[in-house]
Amino acid sequence: MASASRSLRLAGRFTAVPRPFALRTATASVSQRAAFTVSARRFKLGVVRETEVPVTVYNPDSKGAPGSSPEHFTISAQPSRPVEPVVEEVEEVQPLSDEVYAQMPRTLQKMSVKGKVIIITGGARGLGNNMARACAEAGAKAIAIFDANQELGDESAAELHQKSGLPVSFFKVDVRDGSAINAAVQNVVDLYGAPDVLVNSAGIADSNIKAENYDHQMFRRLIDINLTGSFLMSQSVGRAMMAAGKPGSIILVASMSGSIVNYPQEQSCYNASKAGVIQFGKSLAAEWAKHGIRVNCISPGYMDTALNRVPALDAQKKIWTERTPQDRLGAVDDLNGLCVFLASDASGYMTGSNVIIDGGYTLY
Ligand SMILES: NC(=O)c1ccc[n+]([C@@H]2O[C@H](COP(=O)([O-])OP(=O)(O)OC[C@H]3O[C@@H](n4cnc5c(N)ncnc54)[C@H](O)[C@@H]3O)[C@@H](O)[C@H]2O)c1
């Protein structure tokens, strides 16, 4: 879409020091002190609150060889004011070139989706659109967007093609329409070859409807889109993978609402639909492992997408944010890394998982 943009949130960091290294250093000094204590009580009393943590960093020299002299410095351990995240508009989509891929270490090559044909439902906007861009940057051979919104779908496919130079197609498909899905998947096979990956992000949400007032037709419609749609898409793409004798990865976008009950809004139908998606994904993973097809779910928490940008939710969004340890809603590109990982061969032994990405919301 013309106005589509990704926001890259760079979490504020108080130092350029690799965090695990700093943690290791701090841990080591605590355990050295513990070795000189004689009782648990004495140990407790003896804890030294460091104001500065000494750090030693070993860097390669300018030619990339292991450097000889380590760098020593200290970092402040005083609580600092939280740094406001920097929000940067990122318009470019930079596809992974053959030259760059060839130079990547094996581990990173495995974490790419180099040469893969990827179908993404709900890719016209929101989380699906951002995951489509991420797949383009991570090496996809071709991307097919399936979405019920003709105008946005056309715009987003044109934009992704123009920015990445990759083959991108848009299919106006309602994920409730089995025949249309089958025809579209066959067309993808004809155009680019059998799909390697399905990302099923199409979905709708109804919230703030009490169960006692829920219109049964609305209930059926939501289940039909979120759950039956996940089934119809997976069946069609799975059959194409099996017919081609190709291993594949199916990624179903569920929700944390499939595992917890949201507060304060009542949304029994949405929650039930996503719980269904998670259990469907697990069942499919077990059934299709023998075909080399992996099935995993991504379960986002509250994300800052159009789905939630409705004035009626403003007051509730404050409550959602307060209950999220990271103190923010998820950014529209916060699922990208996991999506690429699950699509890639790096997650080859992972199937039937449900990965929650929620800024910590479900911890409480
Ligand atoms: N935004 C959140 O807070 C959040 C949280 C958890 C899970 N999710 C899930 O993530 C997925 C994407 O959400 P989003 O926030 O990007 O939503 P969105 O509304 O921005 O995008 C959803 C896309 O799906 C398409 N779509 C809807 N119904 C369809 C149908 N019947 N057939 C084909 N396409 C259809 C829409 O046209 C739209 O392009 C959904 O499954 C949603 O339930 C979202």
Side-chain angles (χ1 to χ4, degrees):
M1 56 193 142
S3 60
S5 63
R6 285 190 307 163
S7 57
L8 176 67
R9 290 168 192 270
L10 301 173
R13 290 186 192 136
F14 65 91
T15 172
V17 179
R19 191 163 160 70
F21 191 88
L23 282 176
R24 271 203 309 276
T25 310
T27 312
S29 64
V30 168
S31 57
Q32 275 158 15
R33 280 193 299 273
F36 292 98
T37 57
V38 290
S39 71
R41 177 154 175 76
R42 175 85 195 280
F43 169 67
K44 265 191 183 168
L45 289 172
V47 172
V48 176
R49 303 279 167 211
E50 302 280 12
T51 53
E52 293 198 317
V53 177
V55 182
T56 309
V57 176
Y58 296 87
N59 274 323
D61 66 18
S62 57
K63 291 181 187 130
S68 48
S69 45
E71 198 185 340
H72 299 280
F73 54 94
T74 56
I75 54 174
S76 169
Q78 303 282 19
S80 56
R81 281 206 345 264
V83 183
E84 283 297 308
V86 179
V87 180
E88 233 177 64
E89 296 298 324
V90 180
E91 288 289 347
E92 287 313 308
V93 178
Q94 193 181 351
L96 179 60
S97 67
D98 291 344
E99 298 73 44
V100 172
Y101 178 78
Q103 285 170 16
M104 281 160 55
R106 200 167 51 90
T107 302
L108 291 183
Q109 284 184 342
K110 244 185 140 178
M111 290 178 84
S112 79
V113 292
K114 189 74 182 146
K116 293 190 192 288
V117 174
I118 300 182
I119 296 177
I120 302 192
T121 74
R125 71 174 199 185
L127 303 171
N129 185 261
N130 277 267
M131 290 187 278
R133 289 159 178 252
C135 289
E137 291 200 328
K141 172 182 155 189
I143 291 184
I145 293 174
F146 287 22
D147 201 289
N149 188 320
Q150 174 80 57
E151 202 184 330
L152 276 184
D154 261 340
E155 277 179 22
S156 61
E159 189 200 31
L160 187 55
H161 167 65
Q162 186 233 322
K163 288 189 167 156
S164 68
L166 288 176
V168 181
S169 50
F170 167 64
F171 295 85
K172 184 189 179 294
V173 166
D174 187 315
V175 293
R176 291 170 291 180
D177 183 352
S179 317
I181 290 171
N182 290 337
V185 170
Q186 184 53 52
N187 208 260
V188 170
V189 175
D190 296 342
L191 281 171
Y192 313 122
D196 300 275
V197 177
L198 164 67
V199 182
N200 195 71
S201 188
I204 60 163
D206 288 337
S207 64
N208 290 297
I209 307 179
K210 293 180 188 305
E212 62 267 33
N213 300 331
Y214 220 120
D215 178 84
H216 62 90
Q217 280 173 336
M218 275 179 76
F219 195 101
R220 287 206 169 98
R221 175 173 179 266
L222 190 144
I223 296 286
D224 222 12
I225 294 175
N226 288 6
L227 181 55
T228 316
S230 302
F231 158 67
L232 291 172
M233 280 304 309
S234 302
Q235 186 186 57
S236 189
V237 171
R239 282 176 177 164
M241 289 168 173
M242 287 176 209
K246 235 182 180 184
S249 170
I250 293 178
I251 300 161
L252 303 175
V253 179
S255 169
M256 68 172 177
S257 309
S259 307
I260 54 110
V261 174
N262 302 67
Y263 178 84
Q265 71 278 21
E266 282 120 345
Q267 47 178 53
S268 58
C269 182
Y270 182 79
N271 298 353
S273 77
K274 294 300 187 177
V277 170
I278 294 166
Q279 186 63 356
F280 170 66
K282 289 182 181 182
S283 310
L284 210 55
E287 275 191 47
W288 287 0
K290 59 178 169 291
H291 299 292
I293 299 172
R294 301 184 293 111
V295 187
N296 293 287
C297 287
I298 298 180
S299 278
Y302 291 113
M303 310 299 284
D304 191 13
T305 69
L307 198 77
N308 288 327
R309 275 186 220 135
V310 283
L313 293 178
D314 278 351
Q316 290 177 354
K317 259 194 250 180
K318 207 167 157 282
I319 298 173
W320 303 344
T321 309
E322 279 167 10
R323 290 175 161 235
T324 303
Q326 285 194 352
D327 200 27
R328 67 173 175 92
L329 302 190
V332 285
D333 60 357
D334 268 336
L335 307 184
N336 289 5
L338 178 61
C339 173
V340 169
F341 171 68
L342 290 176
S344 78
D345 297 344
S347 58
Y349 196 50
M350 201 169 161
T351 196
S353 289
N354 172 38
V355 186
I356 294 181
I357 298 195
D358 65 352
Y361 184 92
T362 51
L363 294 173
Y364 293 146

